[in-house]
Amino acid sequence: MRSRSNSGVRLDYYQRIVHRLILAHQEPVTGLFPASSVNSHAWIRDNVYCILAVWGLSMAYKKIADQDEDRAKCYELEQSCVKLMRGLLMAMMNQKDKVEKFKMTQSPVDSLHAKYSSKNGLPVVGDNEWGHLQIDAVSLYLLILAQMTASGLQIVFSLDEVSFIQNLVFYIESAYSIPDYGIWERGDKTNHGEPELNASSIGMAKAALEAMNELDLFGARGGPASVIHVLADEAHKCQAVLQSMLPRESNSKELDSGLLCVIGFPAFAVDDAQLIHNTRDAILSRLQGKYGCKRFLRDGYRTPKEDPSRLYYERWELRMFENIECEWPLFYCYLILFHAFQNDKHLVQEYADRLEKIMVRSEDGILLVPESYAVPQDLVGFEYQKPGSQAREVVGRCPFLWGQSLFILGRLLQEGFLAVGELDPLNRRLGAQKKPDVVVQVVIIAEDNEIRDKLAEHDLHVQTIAEVAPIEVQPARVLSHLYTYLGRNRKLGLSGRKSRDVGILSTSKLYSLKDRIFAFTPQFVDLSRFYIASDNELMIDILKGEINFLKSAWDLLGRPLVTLVLKRIHLDQDKIPLAMIQTMRKLKSGYINGTRVMLGSLKDFLNTSAITDLSFLGSTEDGYPDRLHPDVQTYLDEHLLRSFSNRNTMNLRGGQLRPRHLRRRMSCKGAIKKTRSINVDSDNLGMEGPSPLTERRLSSIVPPPWLLANKQGHVSVFATTPEEGPTSPPQLGGDLGLRENIYPMDPQHSRSAIDRRSEFVRQQEITVPKILIQRHRAETNFADTEVEELIAMLRETENLEEQGDILQYLVDTQGLDFNTGMLEEGRVVTVRDLLKGLYEKACQQKLWGLVRHTAGMLGKRVEDLGKAVTDLLVRQKQVTVGMPPNNEHTITAPLPEVELRQLIHDAYGDDESTAMLTQELMVYLAMFIRTEPQLFHEMLRLRVGLIIQVMAKELSRTLNCNGEAASEHLLNLSPFEMKNLLYHILSGKEFAVSSVARGNLSIVSCKSSRVSKKSQIGLGDPEGEDALISTIDDRQGQWLRRRRLDGALNRVPRDFYSRVWTVLEKCQGLAIEGRILQQSLTQEMTPGELKFALEVETALNQIPQPEYRQLVVEALMVLTLVTEHNMVPTLGGIICVEHLVHKANQLFLEDQRKVQGDATLCCAKLKDGKEQQQAASGMLLCGGAAYICQHLYDSAPSGSYGTMTYMSRAVALVLDCVPKQGEKECAIS
């Protein structure tokens, strides 16, 4: 026999170690590893990590297999891996019903179990007896399954198993919004069983989704049926949330060493090299010790202070675990692998040396990785005094197989038996490398020849839908429907994909189905279901945002392709809107907002685009994989038929209808989809001060004089009292009947409405629950004749705003379902039908105030409201709706759309327009947080009610009008201008308002050198030329405005919350507006913990006036300076922060009297007695909030008359602990 080479001998040594330490424990029946010799439970996560060393060793043998016995060893090791992975697969398949249920409920009780019996693979604890929901464990399984399959192992044997794994992909695809128990199975670190959003789970899910995408589970021998499909947008959502969280792990854990497996091997989930670096550094600086790393700060597990008789900790206990947390050598193994993949030999060696020092030698000389090291009971006191000084002892299992397996992998890499690429055959490690610029391809298609010719006049040559054949163009909802067939399996009882959402990454590909090719238009164009889609400017703005998003997010083969269809509905008075022409010209130029684009036709881009095969639509289960699933066949036939018939009927009727009616008919499209209806009337925007306006504005427009004439006689049409009749609680049920009526004025018109209705009923299979709120008929002294007169007036008037008032009155007095006595094609016309008609006309004529009001009365809701709120929440921003201080509701967890709509409706009472505006603003906030997250730095809660108030205040300031008029202007802004105004308020940029054609307002950036920031809207009429731009006095009111904005947006200085924590540590409590932050909070929470920040935030949010809140924040900052410079050992008892602000105001007024400053005109001119009396009567002369002089609000923070100076003096005077005599070093930064 030939002598073995050195490498062979060395490998045999590792093979003996792997056999003795790992494979000896593998159960022969199931292939699973028990936790220890006394505990037969098998955890998914630990099992997958255990087998990695076996997999690594098998690949090392494969390379040197020069003898038959080496090949045999290699095969034997590979089959151990297959056995384990299949054992876990069988255990999970036994719980297939849970996978199906979890897709719907996402409830911890319905999740797959985290551990099974290693003897038979069955569950070992009940659904409620363990924190089973651990998305990272299932994700890790899928990720390693993908890597092993790519390395050539055959783990999945049948198509039923493929379906099950496809459903596991659905199980993890919403990881970015599902709170789970995480890698340590604890959830919140007090271990009370509260799941939370964990960055380590989201990162692992993102990695698994990317690894599984387009993977053939049968390897080289598979066909289309064994391929797994992932929607790229789901993985990207996980990435966006992960990036916004790192280096934080969760709300209660500000840092966690478990993140090492996300930024390095095995997940490689972060694409941003700087973020990887920052996260690793944060872990090393705060969690690394001599014996490994701590899992997270104040981790009580296995410490001598832990009470082993109970699972959970008391909140006050957590402080005891500080500095004595156990240290885990496991993380040194992760760091060795991390640096091996970075090819940093020096650091690999450093951590290998460190690890060797703390490993335990067994009797036969094998190095073992222990589970953790704890401080011995008798040395705890010394460790508290000098952290890191005491020797620790091993606690827990030894060897710890999870760590041992990673240690062996590290050794195989260090000794050159494995290359890093072999442990990562899918090349995930290259994700953080710089990618070339993406070129976005754009195709514009005309709906018919007429629109094509109109575009040709502007030198823009496009094809029509008919001309792009054989490529078929369909809306995104068709793609979303087709994806519901993915992963269906009758035998296993699995239904396909549940989420109906398809994002821009999915619609930017072409799809092949047998011999057909489909292109899909993006989902936001489908939004013709809501009024913001009637604003072409906004749609163009969203398109630019999506193109920009594609530039950064696209990582598939081929270039992204955005297909847009220009329809009649987009025309403005039969012309193509100017904004659209300008955008198309920009696209033609090859650059738009810094992104490279190519405008062309579909056939030009066939070879350069990404193409996905929709092979899963075959009837594989019936044995005809080459034939389309019958349901799919019917769906496609109907849909294609419909899209053509749609166009023909439109052309036939085009001649008979006056253009105005035609346009209205087109803009009705999709109104049916909004079948949820919640109706409330009057609206009162509490703009001025705390008392809400009681005056009632109808449909938010000025009353026409012809209706006001009634005032003397009976009840006026403009009742100035609040609500006449109470609304009854919502009653579920009652299909609203898909009716689409417009005033029956000419017979042709109503006929087209009927035709269209039947077409729509076929088109939309609506599955949303329908909600109807009945209202009580209000007692009224109008006789029936009065109602008839009103209806006659309604028919005669052409003015939409007058119609709005009449309908508003009818809704108030008669209810939405009142029969108006009109008939259309033999059917009764109700007030609701008339409102719908009005809504559509208003959309078309761009009367936005009326649009928002009628949309609210009809109970319309923003399509993506739930998604928008989730986008904000998962990026650790809470949202509140309603006007502070009394009606504010906080949203802290994602809610179903119906509940959200109800919550917003409750928060604003009868104010329909503001409730609609709130939904709209939430969608814009979500757009901004996706595209410009830096606007939201240092903001924890987004208070939409306050933002609306500030928007109105800003308008009243720039337009020089009162609050009532300003809220009027605000509600009449077009959606695009509304988004623009919100942007200026978030970014703090100065802006001016110019009035443009048709009384519309336009928001224009001031002092902006970049012309692109200018937004001039509605340049339809020449009046736009002499637009009035109000100039702002630069200095006056500047600081007041800034404080008001920062207060309303809840913006705080950097590290504010962690600095408040240090103040709280030095005193017994902080009182803010009647709420006391107790010192005990520092016992249970660490300074950087999000939960602590939210406590402080909640106290600050008790203050209704934004500018006053901001002064309180400044007072707290002065207190932090006192503690940080160690001026005093303790700050004493409970500090009332407002006392400091009022004291500062008093000092300010004294100084003002001395120097005859501006405040002598208001607060400083009165003597003290009078001042008290005036304060008691409720208002200051200058209108300052909370009895603080307006001029103090408007002072800069620094300087000898700055607010910080007065605050510092107030602190010195009010706090007993600050020494009154002697000199103190005082530097105010």
Side-chain angles (χ1 to χ4, degrees), residues 646-889:
N646 226 352
R647 218 169 31 251
N648 299 344
T649 53
M650 194 180 68
N651 290 345
L652 287 175
R653 293 234 151 64
Q656 307 167 8
L657 290 176
R658 298 202 296 276
R660 198 181 68 212
H661 290 312
L662 178 78
R663 237 176 32 254
R664 172 161 70 232
R665 226 186 77 215
M666 292 303 297
S667 72
C668 304
K669 186 177 175 203
I672 293 186
K673 282 214 170 166
K674 303 159 192 145
T675 48
R676 307 203 180 151
S677 127
I678 294 176
N679 303 290
V680 285
D681 356 15
S682 137
D683 56 15
N684 43 7
L685 205 55
M687 289 299 160
E688 301 299 320
S691 60
L693 302 168
T694 46
E695 186 186 342
R696 165 98 189 287
R697 296 197 316 286
L698 297 175
S699 68
S700 55
I701 48 167
V702 186
W706 56 272
L707 273 172
L708 285 175
N710 297 356
K711 251 206 161 73
Q712 300 74 21
H714 38 247
V715 176
S716 145
V717 179
F718 282 94
T720 43
T721 58
E723 183 56 308
E724 278 104 336
T727 49
S728 69
Q731 298 160 350
L732 278 164
D735 189 306
L736 292 186
L738 302 174
R739 286 204 296 254
E740 185 62 49
N741 286 345
I742 302 163
Y743 311 154
M745 288 178 192
D746 68 57
Q748 286 179 336
H749 196 118
S750 36
R751 189 174 73 243
S752 70
I754 293 283
D755 290 356
R756 198 178 56 255
R757 191 179 69 253
S758 59
E759 206 162 83
F760 266 114
V761 171
R762 278 214 319 279
Q763 201 166 2
Q764 329 289 4
E765 303 86 357
I766 294 188
T767 53
V768 292
K770 302 184 174 66
I771 288 194
L772 174 58
I773 291 190
Q774 265 350 104
R775 11 173 108 256
H776 297 311
R777 297 271 176 91
E779 288 307 311
T780 171
N781 47 4
F782 261 120
D784 285 347
T785 51
E786 297 284 355
V787 172
E788 279 164 25
E789 270 175 43
L790 282 174
I791 287 170
M793 280 153 59
L794 191 61
R795 286 180 137 153
E796 285 157 21
T797 175
E798 276 291 300
N799 179 335
L800 292 192
E801 297 173 345
E802 293 171 7
Q803 295 176 6
D805 288 330
I806 297 169
L807 285 175
Q808 167 78 50
Y809 181 73
L810 283 172
V811 170
D812 284 353
T813 54
Q814 310 296 329
L816 265 178
D817 293 311
F818 172 67
N819 174 357
T820 56
M822 298 196 234
L823 286 180
E824 175 183 339
E825 296 279 315
R827 273 187 323 116
V828 169
V829 177
T830 62
V831 175
R832 173 181 278 116
D833 298 327
L834 296 180
L835 256 179
K836 274 189 186 167
L838 177 64
Y839 166 75
E840 281 151 14
K841 283 188 195 164
C843 273
Q844 197 194 330
Q845 294 184 24
K846 315 276 188 260
L847 298 168
W848 298 111
L850 192 54
V851 168
R852 288 188 177 98
H853 195 73
T854 45
M857 289 171 68
L858 285 166
K860 295 185 178 295
R861 59 182 181 76
V862 181
E863 275 305 315
D864 286 342
L865 185 60
K867 214 170 87 188
V869 172
T870 305
D871 275 336
L872 294 165
L873 290 172
V874 294
R875 288 171 176 81
Q876 298 90 58
K877 308 287 176 217
Q878 295 191 347
V879 186
T880 72
V881 295
M883 293 297 177
N886 307 328
N887 290 336
E888 220 174 2
H889 298 274

Side-chain angles (χ1 to χ4, degrees), residues 96-235:
K96 56 187 181 297
D97 306 342
K98 283 184 165 301
V99 173
E100 180 59 30
K101 212 164 162 194
F102 186 82
K103 284 191 295 190
M104 297 299 290
T105 63
Q106 295 184 348
S107 150
V109 186
D110 297 325
S111 66
L112 283 172
H113 282 198
K115 57 180 187 175
Y116 300 96
S117 161
S118 58
K119 301 267 189 291
N120 53 22
L122 295 176
V124 281
V125 288
D127 294 350
N128 288 318
E129 293 163 25
W130 198 259
H132 284 300
L133 177 51
Q134 296 167 29
I135 289 175
D136 73 300
V138 178
S139 304
L140 176 73
Y141 175 80
L142 290 175
L143 169 65
I144 300 302
L145 172 71
Q147 294 278 29
M148 286 182 170
T149 305
S151 77
L153 296 189
Q154 175 91 45
I155 294 167
V156 176
F157 293 173
S158 71
L159 286 177
D160 293 324
E161 290 172 12
V162 173
S163 307
F164 179 74
I165 284 171
Q166 178 68 65
N167 277 274
L168 283 186
V169 167
F170 301 147
Y171 180 90
I172 64 166
E173 75 176 359
S174 301
Y176 64 92
S177 62
I178 302 177
D180 71 341
Y181 292 101
I183 186 169
W184 310 124
E185 309 191 293
R186 301 208 141 195
D188 184 285
K189 70 177 171 199
T190 52
N191 213 11
H192 279 265
E194 295 163 28
E196 47 181 15
L197 215 51
N198 289 294
S200 51
S201 296
I202 296 170
M204 200 53 88
K206 180 222 176 210
L209 290 170
E210 289 178 342
M212 275 287 163
N213 193 15
E214 304 295 319
L215 180 84
D216 192 328
L217 288 175
F218 292 174
R221 295 190 283 274
S226 54
V227 174
I228 295 293
H229 298 269
V230 178
L231 272 80
D233 298 273
E234 302 299 333

Side-chain angles (χ1 to χ4, degrees), residues 505-523:
L505 292 173
S506 306
T507 53
S508 300
K509 297 192 280 192
L510 291 172
Y511 289 84
S512 62
L513 179 57
K514 306 290 172 259
D515 46 357
R516 300 156 76 171
I517 292 183
F518 289 98
F520 293 100
T521 55
Q523 194 167 339

Side-chain angles (χ1 to χ4, degrees), residues 505-555:
L505 292 173
S506 306
T507 53
S508 300
K509 297 192 280 192
L510 291 172
Y511 289 84
S512 62
L513 179 57
K514 306 290 172 259
D515 46 357
R516 300 156 76 171
I517 292 183
F518 289 98
F520 293 100
T521 55
Q523 194 167 339
F524 73 86
V525 196
D526 260 3
L527 285 182
S528 43
R529 303 172 278 192
F530 189 65
Y531 66 77
I532 57 179
S534 327
D535 186 1
N536 293 327
E537 296 265 356
L538 184 68
M539 296 316 275
I540 290 169
D541 195 48
I542 295 176
L543 170 69
K544 287 179 185 165
E546 296 288 343
I547 288 178
N548 201 17
F549 169 77
L550 283 172
K551 175 175 116 176
S552 58
W554 185 261
D555 56 358

Side-chain angles (χ1 to χ4, degrees), residues 77 211 223 256 367 388 556 668 684 710 900 978 1062 1076:
L77 292 165
D256 192 314
L367 287 173
L556 304 164
C668 304
N684 43 7
N710 297 356
L900 266 176
M978 189 67 78
T1062 57
I1076 297 181

